[in-house]
Amino acid sequence: MSTVQLVNRVAPATVKRNQTTTEDEDSDSYAAFPGKSTPQLGDISQEKLSFFRDGRRKVDFVMVYEGNVDILDRNTERRYSISSGTSSGPHVIGILDKKAAKQIQQRQRFMANLIKAGLDMEEEIVESANRKIVCFIKLHATWPTLCHYAEELNMRAPLQAHPNPSVNWSEIALKALRLPNIMYQDVPCKPLDFYTCPFRKSKIDRFLGSENRETFFTDTQRSRIVYEILSTCMFGKKKKGEVGICRLIDEGVFSTAFPLHDGPYELKKSRCCTLNQRQVLYQYWARWGCWYRYQPLDHIREYFGEKIAIYFAWLGFYTAWLLPAAIVGLLVFMYGVFTMHSNTLAREVCESQGSFKMCPLCDENIGCRYWDLSDICGYSKLAYLFDHPGTVFYAVFVSFWAVTFLEYWKRKSASLAHHWDCMGFQDEIERPRPEFAARAPFLERNPVTGIQEPSFPKSLRNKRIAAGLGIVFLMQVKFYIKYLFQISLVIIFIVAVIIYRVLVSIPLFQNVTFRSQAQAIANVSGAVVNLIIIMVMSRIYENLAYRLTSWEMHRTQTEFDDNLTFKVFIFQFVNFYSSIFYIAFFKGRFVGYPGNYTHIVKLRNEDCSAGGCLIELAQQLAVIMIGKQIINNAQEILVPKIKAWWHHRKSR
């Protein structure tokens, strides 16, 4: 997304000022630029929007903060000082509250330290129609800064190009069978493959393309370097952890920070060689019409980096492997449909016709009556669809399918890692996380690089990991009070859903119209309530897992991600499947028997419905799985669109 597109999304606006700094200027020189011409918004739209105004320096990152024009209208000097976050004396700070003054000082220190770190800045101040200003701080990493951090981050640089064609097994199979391959598409501008090695500034002449400083580092590498600087730059006291852009965004000092896209995504009528990377991805990947096509993974990796590319590679691989499982599952289901009428159990239930009278499913004093076994004829036939000899075969098939999928994914991921030259990565050469570096109490020599790095006592970290695992696993002792609280929440919500189903079924049983469908309505509505609780608790568990992992003080981002993934998996497994396990293995086991029923809060413990617990299990699975997909898709597609519309409407 270009800078002007961002400005236009804020409001129809007029650019107030423009400042530019370079690494040669003093760190405080961005406080004022007398004599500078003031460009208008129309002038910006006619320039290369991904570059500074000089047309040479590329915008690698953008920081955004907002202010109030009412405060800025005192005079020109004050207006500029507050908007740029620079020191303007006590007469300006005095008109602000303490929080705003602190934010200005933090922003001032942070931007000064960014300049000292080797970043160039250019600021666009935009006034919106609702008396608000939006300040876009454009950042550019200079060549010495890029070389320094590329070596620090152990980035890889190209030595020699080589042919490394990417092939797909389905493409080979269809070609051998001489069948048309509708999934293939010829994607233009394919990135080259190179032999690479870790970047060293002293050997820069040996790398391909080193003579062109503007294109030697890719946009992904430039963004990563600038983000590293933003994450490690201080704006206050290190002991208090006042480090990094993320904390500044959390505290409201900056609104957001992001890299710009590489040009527009709209495809114009031109030759393929003139398409930028974003246009190629939009035309051949990020469109609904390309859902069945092979993903251009090399292009995704070139634009977004290896981590994002490997995610979409896994997503496409998993989706493709779901196809045989879905086909076999459909065949098994169709077998149940065609053999339903030959099921002996269902036929006997349907033909009983008053021969068997069953006990009430709840207390008689609230409206439940004796019922005939033939009343569940439809349920017995429906249950056969999910419980027949074919489902046993399908369970065995899925077990083998899961193991085979995992092994083939290991092979695929290793192939991609070799193809993208990501193999041989060691945790010892990975830089410490900025949050870890800010909070670590000691320094220790890295055995690989020989550099003094922040460290945390291993014994204390192991104790914290053990405590975190105690919160994750079932540790039935009072010391782990946090985990007991979490497990208690799960149990409380399960019991609450049980009581809800019982309370809802009582008036339904008392109503003659809904009596026959009372339990079905109670079960489905209970599943919906359970889904809402699951989605709410999911957010709570993710936040808890993140806080626990941060508390454990992991040195590298890889260690942090691995431990966070493990905790989130455990929490989500308990959250999503606790109600399903209850219905499958516990519901109906503690009801009692006629004359001696078990009661909870003076209410009879719920039993399986007349059709059996299998029908309820299918209903619960359908509501949770389908409902989760609908909610997730709404969050990923609808919510951003609604937020963008509301932000645009609010800024008018």
Side-chain angles (χ1 to χ4, degrees):
M1 184 179 293
S2 64
T3 307
V4 166
Q5 286 174 316
L6 289 169
V7 171
N8 289 337
R9 286 181 59 184
V10 174
T14 303
V15 174
K16 288 295 183 184
R17 288 184 183 270
N18 172 57
Q19 313 94 339
T20 307
T21 63
T22 65
E23 76 260 20
D24 299 328
E25 296 174 353
D26 185 77
S27 60
D28 295 328
S29 61
Y30 60 90
F33 289 86
K36 286 283 186 178
S37 60
T38 304
Q40 298 300 317
L41 187 60
D43 300 329
I44 299 177
S45 61
Q46 298 173 2
E47 299 178 2
K48 294 182 179 180
L49 301 174
S50 58
F51 289 83
F52 278 25
R53 289 196 173 275
D54 56 15
R56 295 183 296 104
R57 289 172 295 172
K58 184 177 180 60
V59 177
D60 298 318
F61 229 87
V62 176
M63 301 186 301
V64 184
Y65 67 92
E66 298 180 355
N68 197 325
V69 178
D70 294 333
I71 299 178
L72 305 180
D73 284 339
R74 302 288 178 172
N75 54 53
T76 303
E77 180 181 358
R78 294 184 185 182
R79 176 169 66 250
Y80 182 69
S81 299
I82 298 175
S83 63
S84 62
T86 61
S87 178
S88 58
H91 60 285
V92 175
I93 302 298
I95 64 176
L96 303 174
D97 56 16
K98 293 183 178 180
K99 182 179 179 180
K102 182 180 179 181
Q103 289 181 349
I104 291 175
Q105 293 175 355
Q106 289 177 336
R107 186 160 55 239
Q108 170 188 346
R109 294 170 185 168
F110 186 72
M111 295 171 67
N113 289 331
L114 289 180
I115 295 176
K116 292 178 181 179
L119 296 183
D120 291 353
M121 290 187 186
E122 185 175 87
E123 181 169 1
E124 301 288 350
I125 304 178
V126 178
E127 181 179 335
S128 63
N130 58 353
R131 306 294 292 171
K132 292 283 186 180
I133 64 164
V134 181
C135 301
F136 297 93
I137 311 295
K138 298 182 287 186
L139 303 177
H140 168 79
T142 60
W143 175 253
T145 303
L146 292 172
C147 293
H148 172 74
Y149 278 92
E151 189 168 348
E152 287 287 323
L153 297 173
N154 204 45
M155 289 183 173
R156 305 186 72 86
L159 291 172
Q160 180 182 351
H162 69 91
N164 191 4
S166 56
V167 295
N168 196 299
W169 67 268
S170 60
E171 183 180 351
I172 298 175
L174 291 174
K175 186 176 181 180
L177 296 173
R178 297 183 178 180
L179 296 175
N181 188 0
I182 63 173
M183 296 176 290
Y184 175 78
Q185 58 178 345
D186 186 15
V187 183
C189 309
K190 184 177 180 180
L192 295 175
D193 294 312
F194 301 95
Y195 295 110
T196 65
C197 74
F199 176 83
R200 294 293 180 268
K201 188 177 180 180
S202 59
K203 301 178 180 179
I204 192 171
D205 294 336
R206 301 185 181 182
F207 296 113
L208 285 180
S210 58
E211 65 280 355
N212 190 342
R213 296 185 174 186
E214 302 300 327
T215 60
F216 178 74
F217 292 104
T218 65
D219 292 341
T220 305
Q221 291 174 327
R222 298 178 69 98
S223 298
R224 180 186 172 191
I225 290 173
V226 175
Y227 184 74
E228 179 70 19
I229 297 174
L230 292 174
S231 300
T232 56
C233 188
M234 296 177 56
F235 60 88
K237 296 182 179 179
K238 186 176 181 180
K239 292 183 178 180
K240 295 183 179 181
E242 295 178 340
V243 178
I245 187 65
C246 293
R247 180 162 177 179
L248 288 174
I249 293 175
D250 292 338
E251 295 180 357
V253 180
F254 286 95
S255 302
T256 185
F258 49 83
L260 293 179
H261 278 296
D262 184 18
Y265 68 89
E266 297 90 350
L267 185 62
K268 298 180 180 179
K269 295 182 179 180
S270 58
R271 295 181 298 174
C272 293
C273 59
T274 60
L275 298 180
N276 61 42
Q277 295 180 3
R278 193 182 180 196
Q279 289 171 332
V280 171
L281 289 177
Y282 178 76
Q283 181 67 18
Y284 296 94
W285 179 55
R287 293 193 304 120
W288 291 107
C290 298
W291 67 269
Y292 62 94
R293 302 281 191 179
Y294 293 136
Q295 296 187 99
L297 295 177
D298 289 332
H299 295 75
I300 299 173
R301 177 241 181 175
E302 181 76 9
Y303 193 73
F304 292 106
E306 287 81 4
K307 182 180 288 188
I308 303 298
I310 201 71
Y311 165 75
F312 282 106
W314 176 87
L315 193 62
F317 189 82
Y318 178 61
T319 305
W321 270 74
L322 283 176
L323 181 62
I327 292 175
V328 175
L330 179 62
L331 294 176
V332 170
F333 182 79
M334 295 306 298
Y335 170 81
V337 173
F338 291 129
T339 60
M340 180 189 303
H341 298 287
S342 62
N343 180 26
T344 304
L345 180 61
R347 189 171 62 251
E348 290 179 353
V349 170
C350 294
E351 295 175 354
S352 62
Q353 296 298 331
S355 301
F356 301 96
K357 182 161 291 193
M358 310 301 292
C359 294
L361 295 174
C362 62
D363 294 333
E364 292 185 68
N365 56 1
I366 63 174
C368 290
R369 299 289 183 266
Y370 290 91
W371 53 280
D372 191 79
L373 184 62
S374 61
D375 294 343
I376 63 169
C377 175
Y379 285 116
S380 61
K381 292 181 179 180
L382 186 62
Y384 177 76
L385 296 177
F386 306 101
D387 187 15
H388 57 80
T391 57
V392 179
F393 161 77
Y394 188 63
V396 176
F397 168 80
V398 169
S399 300
F400 284 101
W401 173 87
V403 174
T404 308
F405 163 77
L406 182 60
E407 295 302 319
Y408 271 87
W409 167 246
K410 291 179 181 178
R411 179 179 178 181
K412 177 69 173 179
S413 60
S415 175
L416 289 174
H418 180 269
H419 177 56
W420 293 337
D421 203 8
C422 297
M423 302 188 72
F425 183 77
Q426 300 178 10
D427 291 341
E428 288 80 4
I429 62 177
E430 187 177 358
R431 285 172 59 89
R433 296 169 49 246
E435 295 83 357
F436 174 84
R439 298 166 57 189
F442 304 105
L443 290 176
E444 189 177 70
R445 184 175 177 270
N446 190 305
V448 176
T449 62
I451 300 175
Q452 292 287 334
E453 293 182 350
S455 67
F456 191 77
K458 189 174 181 180
S459 58
L460 183 56
R461 180 186 294 116
N462 291 336
K463 291 179 181 179
R464 293 190 177 188
I465 293 176
L469 292 176
I471 296 177
V472 175
F473 291 110
L474 300 175
M475 307 295 287
Q476 302 296 329
V477 292
K478 292 183 179 180
F479 177 76
Y480 298 100
I481 187 69
K482 292 183 180 179
Y483 179 73
L484 289 176
F485 175 72
Q486 182 255 340
I487 290 297
S488 300
L489 284 178
V490 176
I491 297 175
I492 288 171
F493 285 128
I494 292 177
V495 174
V497 173
I498 294 172
I499 296 176
Y500 166 82
R501 285 198 291 255
V502 173
L503 293 176
V504 168
S505 61
I506 291 176
L508 293 175
F509 274 117
Q510 294 174 345
N511 190 297
V512 179
T513 305
F514 297 102
R515 182 173 298 168
S516 59
Q517 303 296 327
Q519 279 203 319
I521 297 174
N523 292 332
V524 173
S525 61
V528 174
V529 172
N530 187 43
L531 174 65
I532 296 174
I533 294 175
I534 285 174
M535 299 307 295
V536 172
M537 295 302 297
S538 177
R539 293 296 183 91
I540 297 175
Y541 291 156
E542 288 177 0
N543 187 35
L544 176 61
Y546 182 83
R547 290 180 178 273
L548 282 174
T549 309
S550 300
W551 178 64
E552 292 170 2
M553 289 289 291
H554 295 284
R555 175 182 171 274
T556 64
Q557 189 64 40
T558 301
E559 295 174 353
F560 183 88
D561 292 340
D562 291 343
N563 284 271
L564 178 62
T565 302
F566 175 74
K567 290 183 180 63
V568 170
F569 171 77
I570 296 298
F571 283 150
Q572 299 291 43
F573 179 82
V574 174
N575 186 32
F576 277 93
Y577 295 105
S578 57
S579 60
I580 296 175
F581 270 83
Y582 164 73
I583 295 175
F585 300 107
F586 298 103
K587 187 175 182 179
R589 302 293 192 275
F590 310 102
V591 179
Y593 52 87
N596 189 23
Y597 288 112
T598 305
H599 290 75
I600 298 178
V601 197
K602 297 182 180 181
L603 295 173
R604 177 175 158 182
N605 193 7
E606 66 170 353
D607 196 356
C608 294
S609 62
C613 286
L614 191 62
I615 296 296
E616 294 186 32
L617 184 62
Q619 292 174 344
Q620 189 81 8
L621 280 169
V623 171
I624 290 179
M625 299 305 172
I626 298 176
K628 178 187 174 185
Q629 293 299 321
I630 293 175
I631 293 175
N632 288 342
N633 288 332
Q635 290 177 340
E636 294 177 2
I637 300 175
L638 295 180
V639 173
K641 291 184 179 295
I642 294 174
K643 285 184 176 180
W645 170 81
W646 177 254
H647 180 75
H648 182 71
R649 180 178 179 273
K650 183 173 148 184
S651 59
R652 285 182 177 178

